[in-house]
Amino acid sequence: MSEDENPAETPAEAPVEPGTLGRTQKRLLRRIFNGRTTPVVVDDQPFLTYKEALRYLETLPQEAMDAAYAVMKPYADRKAGD
């Protein structure tokens, strides 16, 4: 470890840059898309896998990303086949 790195001062979660998803958001996306057999449709685009959804979300500006994520979020409470 270098002199500049002090684990006591390192936050538990690194700050999130604008236009990116945080760790908690990515974990929820993984849960939404785990074992999914029917796609989640956002902005008229179907997403069946976590990677597809993440790739799409990360191409959007922050406000559009937040809106698209908000559409996906309720699917976490539904069964994967719904």
Side-chain angles (χ1 to χ4, degrees), residues 9 11 20:
E9 295 178 10
T20 62

Side-chain angles (χ1 to χ4, degrees), residues 13-30:
E13 187 173 318
V16 178
E17 294 179 28
T20 62
L21 292 172
R23 180 178 179 214
T24 305
Q25 291 173 311
K26 288 180 181 180
R27 289 179 63 188
L28 182 64
L29 279 180
R30 284 190 186 276

Side-chain angles (χ1 to χ4, degrees), residues 7-82:
E9 295 178 10
T10 305
E13 187 173 318
V16 178
E17 294 179 28
T20 62
L21 292 172
R23 180 178 179 214
T24 305
Q25 291 173 311
K26 288 180 181 180
R27 289 179 63 188
L28 182 64
L29 279 180
R30 284 190 186 276
R31 197 167 90 212
I32 291 169
F33 289 98
N34 183 27
R36 180 156 294 281
T37 57
T38 56
V40 173
V41 179
V42 178
D43 298 334
D44 296 324
Q45 296 185 34
F47 300 101
L48 193 56
T49 67
Y50 163 78
K51 285 187 178 185
E52 290 173 345
L54 183 63
R55 231 178 274 130
Y56 173 71
L57 289 171
E58 290 183 338
T59 63
L60 299 174
Q62 187 65 43
E63 288 182 20
M65 178 191 303
D66 292 341
Y69 178 79
V71 171
M72 293 179 187
K73 193 173 179 178
Y75 286 90
D77 298 332
R78 300 178 189 170
K79 294 180 182 177
D82 291 346

